[in-house]
């Protein structure tokens, strides 16, 4: 089963400052087609609230913290991201939203496809219907 999960990244500790990195197919189970980031989020705002039909993604809190709330059609789970040396892998067909952003937080999202509005499911009831029938 292809489940959403936290993936720890390499962490090179150094007195001069730490270093982490991501190599696609080595640390995350897909090839990166697109990188985007969410920043300057006003307090209390929510991003996301949709699912992708085919897109797989990996989310890292490069700075600050936020929560990722996932729904698999049956139950909800919450992941708090607050370090830059791990991230959350989210395969296709999870409802996902990002919330509780701290001041100056920076969310980096790696995706395995180019932006395609047609891949989005933006209606939660429709998402649950597809999961129930799927
Ligand atoms: P969207 O993924 O809908 O973010 P949210 O669910 O948090 O509102 O993206 C918001 C807008 O940004 C969307 O209308 C299209 C644009 N966009 C791109 O052009 N390219 C991208 O890679 C992404 C993620 C969004």
């Amino acid at each position: 089963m292809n489940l959403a999960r936290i993936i720890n990244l390499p962490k090179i500790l150094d007195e001069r400052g730490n270093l982490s990195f991501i190599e696609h197919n080595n640390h995350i189970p897909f090839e990166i087609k697109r990188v985007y980031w969410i920043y300057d989020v006003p307090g209390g705002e929510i991003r996301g609230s949709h699912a992708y039909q085919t897109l797989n993604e990996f989310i890292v809190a490069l700075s600050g913290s936020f929560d990722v709330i996932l729904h698999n059609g049956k139950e909800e789970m919450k992941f708090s991201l607050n370090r830059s040396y791990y991230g959350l892998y989210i395969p296709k067909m999870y409802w996902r939203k990002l919330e509780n952003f701290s001041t100056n937080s920076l969310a980096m999202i790696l995706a395995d496809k180019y932006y395609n509005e047609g891949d989005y499911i933006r209606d939660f009831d429709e998402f649950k219907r597809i999961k129930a029938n799927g």
Side-chain angles (χ1 to χ4, degrees):
M1 280 271 279
N2 199 10
L3 296 174
R5 60 186 183 273
I6 293 290
I7 295 178
N8 289 308
L9 299 168
K11 187 179 177 190
I12 315 294
L13 297 176
D14 194 306
E15 287 169 358
R16 300 167 301 158
N18 301 333
L19 182 155
S20 287
F21 60 96
I22 301 170
E23 294 174 352
H24 63 187
N25 291 333
N26 280 341
H27 305 111
I28 54 173
F30 60 80
E31 297 213 346
I32 300 164
K33 270 270 178 67
R34 178 164 55 105
V35 180
Y36 67 96
W37 47 100
I38 297 173
Y39 53 97
D40 291 348
V41 179
E45 285 294 345
I46 296 175
R47 298 295 317 227
S49 275
H50 52 68
Y52 300 108
Q53 295 174 62
T54 66
L55 182 125
N56 304 299
E57 64 181 352
F58 184 69
I59 303 181
V60 184
L62 282 186
S63 177
S65 63
F66 51 87
D67 296 332
V68 184
I69 314 292
L70 297 183
H71 203 294
N72 61 10
K74 288 193 184 129
E75 56 188 8
E76 192 173 89
M77 43 216 121
K78 179 169 124 177
F79 296 88
S80 294
L81 302 185
N82 53 27
R83 291 282 185 264
S84 59
Y85 52 80
Y86 69 84
L88 178 62
Y89 169 62
I90 311 176
K92 63 184 176 182
M93 286 305 288
Y94 275 86
W95 190 266
R96 49 76 127 186
K97 67 182 174 188
L98 282 62
E99 63 179 34
N100 199 22
F101 287 89
S102 69
T103 305
N104 288 331
S105 56
L106 173 57
M108 178 181 71
I109 297 101
L110 311 179
D112 71 345
K113 299 198 172 52
Y114 296 131
Y115 174 74
N116 172 16
E117 179 60 35
D119 196 47
Y120 284 64
I121 303 170
R122 293 192 180 274
D123 183 276
F124 187 57
D125 289 335
E126 184 193 347
F127 168 74
K128 280 199 294 192
R129 240 184 346 260
I130 295 171
K131 289 296 276 187
N133 297 331

